[in-house]
């Protein structure tokens, strides 16, 4: 039932991919010109890690892989949106069920490939900020984090629409309760993966692994780590345990906004302490790394993304009325 009511929000989100590709072009140019990422300045002749990775870390190959990842995301989005659009045009239940079954058969294997693509992508895009560090659970951290961001955002959108026609006749408390349970589960999974990564690296106590955490335990970054434990996990976890809270759309949406803000903090914690030398300083201090652009960029890029998203959301009916489970989804949301 929750899948039916959030479908249009998710589809509109996938259609922002052209804008994401546009945002990615400056990063690709920066890598090609060797102006960003420390590994672009390292030579295979003097760095054993770069010598071992060989052509895999060549700038042109990194850029090619990145566009392959984005292309594979686009293929998934294209087919699922195509079948959903065709379902809106059906005039009988049999054609509608056939298209839904086709999308379901595609989505099963696709979610496996999606997790693999995310893993390869975030290793290239984020983990490579520290070219000498690695973690085998890295991809799952982002799979869980992105899913949590997704459902938090969906709750915010649905809560805004919940008292407006026609969604006021579609959405019910059970829908938000279900989405709240998903947010609770993903909050726990995100924390579990992060703790697992820390525990394994702490137990192994290998210099090539511990350096990443040691950087994030000093020079102010430790406070950010504690804040993530308290406000990205503990606070949402305790709040989402309450059944009545999850059934109140506006309250759940407020928590969704808070979680999205903490997701930005988490991304900054992953990216900010990367081992580049801040001009004029010899450490990776939080206060030396922090810039006014760190506050402006999420607002500017997020604002453009929201503008594109809202435009896509308005192009289609806000609910998939031809879905064979649509009526049952409404009844589920209104039940106790």
């Amino acid at each position: 039932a929750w899948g039916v009511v959030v479908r249009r929000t998710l589809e509109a989100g996938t259609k922002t991919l052209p804008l994401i590709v546009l945002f990615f072009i400056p990063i690709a140019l920066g890598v090609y010109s060797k102006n960003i990422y420390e590994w672009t300045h390292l030579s295979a002749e003097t760095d054993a890690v770069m010598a071992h990775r060989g052509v895999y870390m060549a700038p042109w190959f990194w850029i090619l892989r990145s566009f392959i990842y984005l292309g594979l995301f686009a293929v998934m989005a294209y087919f699922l949106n195509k079948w959903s659009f065709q379902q809106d045009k059906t005039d009988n239940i049999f054609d509608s069920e056939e298209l839904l079954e086709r999308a379901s058969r595609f989505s099963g294997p696709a979610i496996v490939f999606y997790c693999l693509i995310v893993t390869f992508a975030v290793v290239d895009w984020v983990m490579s900020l520290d070219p000498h560090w690695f973690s085998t659970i890295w991809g799952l951290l982002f799979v869980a984090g992105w899913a949590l961001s997704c459902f938090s955002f969906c709750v915010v959108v649905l809560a805004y629409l919940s008292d407006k026609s026609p969604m006021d006749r579609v959405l019910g408390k059970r829908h938000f309760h279900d989405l709240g349970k998903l947010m609770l589960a993903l909050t726990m999974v995100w924390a579990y993966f992060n703790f697992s990564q820390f525990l394994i690296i702490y137990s192994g106590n290998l210099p090539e692994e511990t350096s990443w955490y040691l950087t994030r335990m000093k020079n102010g970054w430790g406070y950010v780590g504690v804040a993530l434990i308290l406000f990205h996990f503990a606070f949402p976890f305790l709040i989402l345990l309450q059944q009545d809270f999850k059934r109140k759309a506006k309250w759940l949406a407020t928590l969704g906004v808070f979680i999205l803000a903490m997701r930005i903090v988490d991304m900054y914690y992953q990216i900010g302490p990367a081992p580049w030398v801040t001009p004029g300083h010899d450490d990776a201090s939080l206060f030396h790394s922090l810039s006014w652009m760190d506050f402006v960029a999420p607002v500017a890029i997020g604002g453009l993304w929201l503008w594109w998203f809202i435009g896509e959301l308005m192009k289609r009916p806000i609910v998939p009325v031809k879905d064979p489970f649509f009526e049952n989804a409404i009844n589920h949301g209104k039940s106790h």
Side-chain angles (χ1 to χ4, degrees), residues 74 95 143 300 332:
D95 290 341
V143 170
H332 171 82

Side-chain angles (χ1 to χ4, degrees), residues 223-243:
Y223 296 112
V224 181
V226 172
L228 287 171
I229 295 172
L230 293 177
F231 300 112
H232 195 314
F233 167 62
F235 176 70
F237 172 73
L238 293 174
I239 295 296
L240 289 169
L241 284 176
Q242 304 174 52
Q243 177 173 301

Side-chain angles (χ1 to χ4, degrees), residues 70-85:
L70 294 169
L72 291 172
F73 287 147
V75 169
M76 296 180 188
Y78 169 77
F79 282 111
L80 291 173
N81 279 283
K82 173 186 175 182
W83 294 324
S84 179
F85 180 79

Side-chain angles (χ1 to χ4, degrees), residues 148-219:
L148 178 58
S149 299
C150 171
F151 284 113
S152 298
F153 178 76
C154 285
V155 164
V156 174
V157 173
L158 293 181
Y160 174 77
L161 297 172
S162 62
D163 57 357
K164 299 172 179 62
S165 181
M167 296 303 283
D168 57 346
R169 299 190 299 273
V170 173
L171 292 171
K173 293 181 179 180
R174 285 286 299 275
H175 293 135
F176 288 99
H177 186 226
D178 292 340
L179 291 169
K181 288 189 289 186
L182 285 167
M183 290 167 62
L184 172 62
L186 289 164
T187 297
M188 292 190 292
V189 170
W190 173 87
Y192 171 73
F193 285 159
N194 273 278
F195 177 72
S196 298
Q197 176 178 266
F198 176 81
L199 182 63
I200 293 170
I201 290 176
Y202 179 85
S203 301
N205 199 27
L206 301 175
E208 61 268 28
E209 295 180 350
T210 57
S211 60
W212 191 86
Y213 276 110
L214 292 175
T215 302
R216 285 160 177 77
M217 289 181 176
K218 57 185 179 180
N219 296 324

Side-chain angles (χ1 to χ4, degrees), residues 49-65:
V49 172
M50 294 302 293
H52 177 72
R53 293 175 182 174
V55 71
Y56 191 82
M57 292 308 292
W60 68 267
F61 194 27
W62 186 94
I63 295 170
L64 176 62
R65 291 198 305 274

